[in-house]
Amino acid sequence: MIHTPAYQPIAKAVAINGRKLAESPLRLVDGRYEIDFEDMERQMQQGVKMVLLVSPHNPTGRVWTREELERLAELCITYDALIVSDDIHADFIHEGHEHTIIAKLSEEIADRSIICTSPGKTFNLASLEIANIVIPNDGLRERFKDGLQQAGMHNPTFFAVPALETAYTACDDWLQELRAYITDNISFAESFMAEHMPELKVMKPEGTYLLWVDCTACSRNESDLVKWIEEQSRVSVSFGTSFGQAGEGFVRINVAAPRPLLREALERMAAHYPLSKN
């Protein structure tokens, strides 16, 4: 089970492993996405074996509260489902919100949890393809290790481990500056769109460096958004259907970029904005 709209490589991984994908759509309530626990339970009653949790959520920017995670975990215990939590954006939590690793709620929950983290997003080390897979349950951990061996994945690259160690032990000041820069970029992008493209609705991110933007005032047809943003404005964004059909009419904008580049992208979009009154 995944919560949609969702980062599609996760959904694809389910399909290519020959498993059946269950999608539980998030509910958009007053500009904020929420888990539909009633829908989750109905589907889990049909035999869901694993919940693929993205925490913080990509693309909506939600940081799940402790109460939400507790309720999700209770369902997984009741229906005997494994929790695999992708916490790759956990270093980007905005003021007023707190990230909770679901496995830390209790030993019972930890025993059925797999927590996935990586320096890839935080320190821009994705090309090294290194991650931390935390599996408290001894049996699950051995099965995971066997799976890596079966796939021929024995060791990370030579440069990956020292890069990871350096990122986690010697880059605190850099990360603090990065967070502040991204916070300012989010505020800049929100203000720019409010002034120049006011019909767009930006979902206020609680975490991540991604903005999930409702463009349905311009068009509910993604081909129209592609023409405006990609073809006319020459700006690269992630279009909503790449996160499933629930994302049509939305775009995801990555603001983890130098301010001049972000400003230029938004100015290009505004110059070709289909609802412009100029």
Side-chain angles (χ1 to χ4, degrees), residues 197-209:
M197 297 175 280
E199 292 83 5
L200 302 186
K201 298 177 183 177
V202 182
M203 306 295 117
K204 185 71 175 179
E206 299 172 354
T208 81
Y209 45 74

Side-chain angles (χ1 to χ4, degrees), residues 3-51:
H3 297 98
T4 55
Y7 184 59
Q8 282 303 288
I10 296 176
K12 184 178 179 181
V14 175
I16 63 177
N17 277 281
R19 310 295 287 188
K20 183 178 179 181
L21 181 66
E23 298 186 21
S24 182
L26 298 172
R27 298 186 304 134
L28 185 55
V29 181
D30 297 328
R32 185 171 184 260
Y33 282 89
E34 297 179 355
I35 296 173
D36 186 338
F37 288 104
E38 288 73 22
D39 176 76
M40 265 197 77
E41 182 158 21
R42 282 194 299 270
Q43 296 204 55
M44 293 187 75
Q45 289 170 346
Q46 304 304 312
V48 169
K49 299 299 182 185
M50 179 187 295
V51 173

Side-chain angles (χ1 to χ4, degrees), residues 168-186:
Y168 285 153
T169 60
C171 297
D172 287 359
D173 291 343
W174 179 87
L175 179 55
Q176 185 173 354
E177 293 177 10
L178 174 66
R179 286 171 171 162
Y181 196 98
I182 287 173
T183 298
D184 288 345
N185 269 3
I186 290 172

Side-chain angles (χ1 to χ4, degrees), residues 59-133:
T60 70
R62 269 303 315 279
V63 174
W64 308 119
T65 64
R66 185 182 184 91
E67 290 72 25
E68 287 173 313
L69 293 175
E70 287 174 341
R71 192 168 177 185
L72 185 148
E74 287 173 4
L75 288 175
C76 291
I77 292 171
T78 299
Y79 297 102
D80 193 23
L82 182 67
I83 302 167
V84 177
S85 184
D86 173 3
D87 292 51
I88 199 167
H89 284 103
D91 288 320
F92 301 102
I93 307 299
H94 305 311
E95 187 175 358
H97 303 279
E98 182 178 353
H99 177 67
T100 300
I101 297 173
I102 195 167
K104 297 181 73 173
L105 293 178
S106 72
E107 290 186 10
E108 183 180 20
I109 296 168
D111 201 48
R112 64 172 63 248
S113 296
I114 296 175
I115 308 299
C116 308
T117 70
S118 171
K121 301 295 185 185
T122 307
F123 300 99
N124 202 20
L125 298 177
S127 61
L128 293 181
E129 296 189 346
I130 191 168
N132 313 297
I133 312 299

